[in-house]
Amino acid sequence: MFRTYQFRLYPTKKQQEKIHFTLERCRLLYNRLLQERICAYQGEQKNLTYYEQKKTLPDRKKAIPELKQVYSQVLQQVVEKLDKTYRAFFQRVQNKQKGGFPRYKGENRYRSFTYPQSGYTLEGKCLQLSKIGSIRIRMHRGIKGVIKICTIMQKNGKYYTCFSCQVKPASQPKTGKQVGIDLGVKHLAVTSDEQFFSAPKHLRKSESHIKRLQRSIFKKKKGSKRRKKVVKVLARTHEKIANRRKDYAHKLSCLLVQAYDFIAFEDLSISNMVKNHQIAKNIVDAGWGQLVQYTTYKAESAGKRVVLVDPYQTSQRCSCCGEIVKKTLAERVHRCICGYEQDRDINAAINILHLAQQVAS
Ligand SMILES: [Zn+2]
């Protein structure tokens, strides 16, 4: 099993130059390899493979000495990246899905490179990268497992590294507890044992901040310096919010996996809430998908179980007697003729748990 961690890097001016040099060399190589694939196909109806292209790297280094300043596995990974893009394209064609042919990468359109096996080491507060140097890293959380892949990224003028780590599933102590979870707008998650979890307020606040920035961009002249400045601020704000949202989803999913052995969610892919456009925006904001995704992989590595169920009528059905009690979105309390009264979301969460237990048994 793999887990990915992202950390901020603080390269010096000189290291930044080397990172940009590497990105640019990778980009040019990527475009060149793409061009050769296209030419081979147009000329001889031949599909160049990953291995055929990889074999050309030593000759390229002889012809272009600059390539020697890039770690060789980083270059190999460019060949692989193109190959993956190609395969994904053909897969889409086969599945009759939409999606364009692999494209040339324009300047500033190539933002990451990867050390697939070696060339990197963590040494205290620094990440040692072959051909680049020892870069200061801020590790805001510990990592588990062995780093297998190390990617360097440049985003909005900041630098990051992504570690893909192989972790052995370490089982968490069993608690014997099962839970159903209703995902909502007012509360991100409501559990069948009557706990409420809300998305942090600052996420809401930043939403209005984003709207203000968008309006401000709209008013400024295209191509102007001031507009570019605001566009940059907007990108950073989006990034900040995305990071906070991720952080919250990580915390909550950790909590759930620690507390329960069996966790039931509604299946968002069949949930009618996603189809309802009015609250679709809030769904994105609340990060339901992220919560379910994180909980699923954490449960998997902890030896616990997540089950997704069809949410059909889970909010209408009485979790006590099974009767359908029709209610609008505004009605917050479930009141049944059987005498059962419960918060609407808790009632739904209990139904979700019951459905999952049926599926699992
Ligand atoms: Zn009832």
Side-chain angles (χ1 to χ4, degrees), residues 317-325 334-341 347:
R317 193 176 296 281
C318 175
S319 61
C320 187
C321 70
E323 194 69 37
I324 297 294
V325 185
H334 166 86
R335 276 190 197 90
C336 182
I337 42 164
C338 75
Y340 184 69
E341 233 186 85
N347 179 61

Side-chain angles (χ1 to χ4, degrees), residues 183-188 199-200 203-204 206-207 210 214 238 240-249 268 271 273-294:
L183 301 169
V185 175
K186 188 162 169 257
H187 300 284
L188 171 60
L203 280 179
R204 283 293 129 94
S206 0
E207 197 169 84
I210 280 189
Q214 277 168 339
H238 270 303
K240 214 186 261 170
I241 295 171
N243 284 342
R244 282 179 178 166
R245 193 183 295 136
K246 243 192 233 171
D247 219 50
Y248 183 68
L268 290 172
S271 167
M273 288 200 263
V274 184
K275 286 172 203 144
N276 185 338
H277 283 287
Q278 247 184 343
I279 52 175
K281 197 171 135 31
N282 284 314
I283 292 173
V284 179
D285 186 34
W288 293 346
Q290 242 166 12
L291 178 65
V292 175
Q293 187 198 342
Y294 292 171

